[in-house]
Amino acid sequence: MALDAKTIAGLAEHLETCELQARDTLKITDEHPDMDWDDAYAIQAEILRRKLARGSRVIGLKAGLTSHAKMKQMGVDSPVFGFLVDNFCVPEGGEVKTSELIHPKVEPEIAFVLKRALKGPGCHIGTVLAATDFVLPGIEVIDSRYRDFKFDLKSVVADNTSAARFVVGGQALPPDRVDLRTMGVVMEKNGQVVAIGAGAAVLGHPAAAVAMLANHLGRRGEEIPAGTLILSGGVTEAVAVKAGDHVSLRLQGLGSVSLRFV
Ligand code: OOG
Ligand code: MG
């Protein structure tokens, strides 16, 4: 760790205040260039601690920057991991208030729900599929707290990987009923197709993103509990949205899910 506890708490408060007040900020590594990975995840953990103290519940986890399209769009080269709390969850077909967000974008995601806990190290696609209860379509609304979505990996980890809102829905199926690699992904905004892809865009197989998450937590002595919802990462580039937009995502064989921005 390069930062002391007081600096970590201060940066967490700053980033969470930006989130709650829908204000942007410069990336925190500008002022703290020596910040390391442990500092970045410690800031994220402190943001979570603040939310839990206010009564939020963790309802899921996310992997981000798991597809080549996303890494290229954001100019980075490795996945990152974050948390999802109950306040981020939007009901299927529900509304997202743009006044609560800075510059939201949507991403098509394949969501997993576990029936058994996953503990790394050593998790792989096989262990993930064996522990998965079902998969279903999910749209993630990301909203980097950094000005113009400009960040490096450590800054985005500290900012809980831009997590803001998400919706899951459509049809849930056990993973042996679908081919997660060849599964077609079509996202529409206001009836126009804005993103198309296939599951394999996420690390060759979206379950590999869940395995990476389990191995990442395993290194910290943590596990993914049974029942956890996991967003495996945007299949395509994220698409900017504004009030009035309607977004729907169809995953082949799993129906569709949608939300509206007001
Ligand atoms: C970071 C979060 C990325 C994904 O699915 O790739 C993410 C960002 O692009 O702001 O959630
Ligand atoms: Mg995402």
Side-chain angles (χ1 to χ4, degrees):
M1 306 267 293
L3 304 182
D4 59 31
K6 189 160 169 272
T7 309
I8 286 172
L11 289 167
E13 180 181 7
H14 173 62
L15 286 171
E16 205 213 4
T17 303
C18 287
E19 176 203 330
L20 297 175
Q21 299 183 354
R23 281 196 286 114
D24 68 6
T25 183
L26 294 176
K27 66 180 194 303
I28 57 176
T29 46
D30 290 353
E31 285 215 14
H32 300 278
D34 318 328
M35 192 176 125
D36 64 23
W37 285 99
D38 287 339
D39 295 319
Y41 277 105
I43 295 166
Q44 185 191 113
E46 175 62 16
I47 293 175
L48 174 58
R49 197 198 58 75
R50 294 172 64 86
K51 292 186 183 305
L52 294 178
R54 264 188 255 108
S56 292
R57 273 188 65 207
V58 177
I59 55 169
L61 297 170
K62 61 169 281 191
L65 306 171
T66 51
S67 66
H68 186 66
K70 279 286 313 186
M71 290 190 219
K72 188 163 164 239
Q73 181 180 32
M74 305 323 296
V76 297
D77 60 5
S78 85
V80 292
F81 307 103
F83 64 81
L84 303 169
V85 286
D86 52 344
N87 331 48
F88 295 174
C89 182
V90 179
E92 153 65 335
E95 291 180 352
V96 175
K97 293 197 181 76
T98 50
S99 61
E100 295 175 357
L101 301 172
I102 305 162
H103 42 199
K105 294 184 185 180
V106 288
E107 318 184 298
E109 305 231 1
I110 299 171
F112 289 67
V113 173
L114 299 187
K115 59 185 171 197
R116 287 205 297 276
L118 268 176
K119 189 162 172 57
C123 286
H124 51 74
I125 292 170
T127 27
V128 172
L129 293 177
T132 299
D133 199 352
F134 51 83
V135 293
L136 76 174
I139 300 172
E140 185 180 25
V141 181
I142 53 168
D143 192 36
S144 176
R145 270 52 71 168
Y146 299 119
R147 193 154 304 160
D148 304 323
F149 263 89
K150 292 224 166 59
F151 50 68
D152 50 27
L153 279 170
K154 288 170 191 152
S155 295
V156 74
V157 163
D159 184 32
N160 190 25
T161 67
S162 311
R165 300 285 184 274
F166 71 92
V167 60
V168 289
Q171 199 189 344
L173 282 182
D176 60 352
R177 298 276 306 280
V178 292
D179 184 336
L180 289 166
R181 297 163 308 151
T182 57
M183 176 184 286
V185 175
V186 179
M187 189 168 69
E188 294 182 10
K189 182 169 93 170
N190 306 326
Q192 304 259 21
V193 174
V194 287
I196 41 174
V202 173
L203 296 172
H205 191 305
V210 181
M212 274 187 92
L213 169 63
N215 293 331
H216 160 81
L217 292 175
R219 281 192 290 277
R220 319 168 77 82
E222 294 166 31
E223 63 176 24
I224 313 179
T228 303
L229 170 85
I230 300 148
L231 297 179
S232 57
V235 175
T236 68
E237 280 189 11
V239 175
V241 286
K242 55 178 181 353
D245 287 341
H246 176 269
V247 177
S248 73
L249 168 67
R250 178 172 293 270
L251 292 189
Q252 189 178 3
L254 295 178
S256 51
V257 64
S258 69
L259 42 73
R260 280 186 307 125
F261 290 83
V262 297

